[in-house]
Amino acid sequence: GDKKATAGESEPPTKKQKTGKRAKGGTIGKSMKAAELKEEAVARGIDVKEWKHMNKEALLEMLVVGSRCIIKSEAWDEVVSLRKIFADERQKAAEMEEQRREEIFR
C-alpha cells in the first residue's frame, strides 16, 4: 500500500533527508530508472547485446533487486572520474602527436 507520512509522523530534520543524489553503497531497487539499470549493467561488464532491448522489469530481474549496486558506490564515482581524466589526457596526447607528425613532414 501507500505509506505517506501524515503530519506529526514525519522524520525529525536531524535525519538526512533523501535528495535527488544517489545514496552511496545502495542496492538495486524498483525505484531506479531504466537508464540507471543499463548503466549498472555496463558497470558489471554485462555485454550490451544481452540487455540492449530489455525493458525495466527484465533489467531488474537480470540485475536482481536487493543486490549491491556498483554505480551507487564511491568506487564507481572514482572510475567515472578517472575515465574523464584519461579521456582528457588521451586527447592532449593525440594533439601533441599530430603536431609532432606535422613538424616531421614540413
Side-chain angles (χ1 to χ4, degrees):
D2 211 339
K3 286 183 262 181
K4 281 187 179 154
T6 54
E9 283 182 11
S10 62
E11 291 181 2
T14 51
K15 283 190 180 174
K16 275 191 179 168
Q17 294 297 315
K18 282 187 180 169
T19 61
K21 288 187 91 177
R22 291 195 288 226
K24 293 293 159 218
T27 57
I28 299 295
K30 291 180 180 179
S31 65
M32 291 175 74
K33 293 179 178 75
E36 290 176 306
L37 296 169
K38 287 179 178 183
E39 185 185 353
E40 178 67 14
V42 170
R44 291 187 184 190
I46 301 168
D47 192 335
V48 69
K49 290 184 208 92
E50 286 187 43
W51 52 260
K52 195 164 133 187
H53 300 294
M54 281 186 179
N55 63 15
K56 183 178 166 177
E57 289 307 309
L59 287 163
L60 284 167
E61 202 172 303
M62 177 184 73
L63 297 170
V64 184
V65 172
S67 66
R68 288 192 46 189
C69 190
I70 294 173
I71 65 168
K72 291 182 180 179
S73 68
E74 296 287 346
W76 185 246
D77 288 347
E78 211 167 310
V79 167
V80 170
S81 127
L82 281 173
R83 282 181 177 168
K84 188 185 176 341
I85 291 166
F86 292 171
D88 293 346
E89 288 175 357
R90 194 166 52 241
Q91 180 65 35
K92 286 186 189 114
E95 287 166 10
M96 286 175 69
E97 180 61 14
E98 200 174 315
Q99 276 183 332
R100 189 185 68 78
R101 286 183 179 164
E102 283 172 9
E103 285 166 15
I104 292 171
F105 296 112
R106 268 194 190 140

